[in-house]
Amino acid sequence: MGLRKPPLYDAHADAGARFTEFGGWDMPVEYDSIKAEHAAVRESVGIFDVSHMSEIEVSGPDATALMQRLTTNDVTALDPGDSQYSAIVDDEGVIIDDTVVYRLPDRDGRVYLFIPNAGHDEEMYDRWTSFRDDWDLDATVEDVTEEWAMFAVQGPDALDTVTDAAPDANLGGLSKFQATFADVAGVECWVARTGYTGEDGFEVLCPWDDAETVWSSLDATPCGLGCRDTLRMEMGYLLSGQDFDPEDEPRTPYEAGIGFVVKLDTEFVGRDALEQQREDGVDETFVGFTLLDRGIPRHGYDIATEDGDVVGVVTSGTMSPTLSEPIGLGYVPTEYAESGTIVQVLVRGREKRAKIVTPPFIDR
């Protein structure tokens, strides 16, 4: 099968975007340059086409029960218009995916919309419907990934940008992780004060066929997935399939530094394993580091002690555009995880000194 394409693929190509494969989608990786787009988000405002993200709707009398059993956070804490970051784990507590769960307003019978990562829609649809049937729950699950386009407007000027396009909506009244339906350029959209950059921002979901109208109404620098990656690394945010992967990098929420999304007073798949791990503690944990020597850390590079013993692995790394210094993320034994600990990263086989830090790397 060929790569899936976002609704504005041709418009991005006409704008000079370079493309890359990500999660089975052909997506813009940069327009001008990663550095310039990164700066636009940190200093003013950028817009990303993130229509490759998956969308699953869950409705029906047992929608809450189904969501509660298949995500680690407490969905019963959500009022309509609220959202929460959460994890989806297997029986052993290993992260299958991370997600944002939205509690929709009480209308049209829809109850929840959750956002798995790119290329995970079919897997999550199958997981939700399989467990629904096994547990004999009355819930409807729909994969609506190709019904919604999704844009992320991020940066210090994001509020002004979305307000200009949606003047009748009080989007400034939304707190972080709140959302509402709003008229954007004459199109009803789901607008959430969420993002993946560390800046203030909004994610705008609109009907697939109205994507061009909404995109063109949001006056911001077009940005590709290249700077989305450098932005999230500066914040220490996880990337599915890289900083965790059930096959190649199996990690639990406690190991990956997102134990705050695990609510053990709820019942969910993997709960017992995670309760045991919380009691026992973890052997390895997710850390940040900065290189003290010249070089750029990359995914898969080894992390070693000062004596040269390999103890961990780099899962993400880059040259930080904001700091102009090499930064990375990865896993090390807990005895090496304290901020200030000196380790080595093997960059193309050469030992480079590094210092463990606690993300985020920048003050946001």
Side-chain angles (χ1 to χ4, degrees), residues 199-361:
E199 301 296 336
D200 188 20
F202 296 81
E203 292 177 314
V204 180
L205 285 84
C206 70
W208 189 272
D209 292 340
D210 294 315
E212 187 167 4
T213 298
V214 174
W215 174 273
S216 61
S217 74
L218 297 165
D219 186 15
T221 300
C223 298
L225 298 186
C227 81
R228 193 168 185 253
D229 199 37
T230 56
L231 289 158
R232 67 94 190 168
M233 271 190 265
E234 290 183 343
M235 296 303 298
Y237 294 157
L238 298 169
L239 177 61
S240 176
Q242 191 160 302
D243 297 310
F244 66 85
D245 184 276
E247 300 296 330
D248 298 329
E249 192 62 61
R251 299 292 176 177
T252 69
Y254 292 125
E255 291 172 321
I258 57 169
F260 61 89
V261 305
V262 178
K263 307 302 181 186
L264 292 175
D265 56 349
T266 68
E267 291 294 333
F268 58 87
V269 172
R271 179 204 170 278
D272 291 347
L274 290 177
E275 182 178 43
Q276 188 64 53
Q277 187 178 65
R278 190 181 71 166
E279 292 176 2
D280 296 342
V282 298
D283 295 325
E284 296 183 331
T285 191
F286 193 61
V287 297
F289 62 86
T290 57
L291 278 194
L292 303 177
D293 296 331
R294 187 169 181 172
I296 300 177
R298 297 296 186 195
H299 174 79
Y301 287 0
D302 288 331
I303 300 174
T305 67
E306 289 187 278
D307 294 330
D309 297 323
V310 174
V311 292
V313 64
V314 177
T315 54
S316 293
T318 192
M319 176 64 72
S320 163
T322 302
L323 302 174
S324 297
E325 63 180 40
I327 63 172
L329 303 166
Y331 292 92
V332 298
T334 53
E335 58 264 35
Y336 296 99
E338 185 177 350
S339 290
T341 300
I342 300 300
V343 295
Q344 297 186 100
V345 175
L346 277 62
V347 177
R348 297 183 179 179
R350 295 182 178 181
E351 297 173 341
K352 305 288 185 177
R353 295 175 70 248
K355 180 174 70 174
I356 299 295
V357 301
T358 300
F361 295 92

Side-chain angles (χ1 to χ4, degrees), residues 84-100:
Q84 63 185 197
Y85 180 52
S86 193
I88 301 160
V89 302
D90 65 15
D91 290 337
E92 301 302 315
V94 171
I95 304 170
I96 301 171
D97 204 1
D98 61 350
T99 189
V100 171

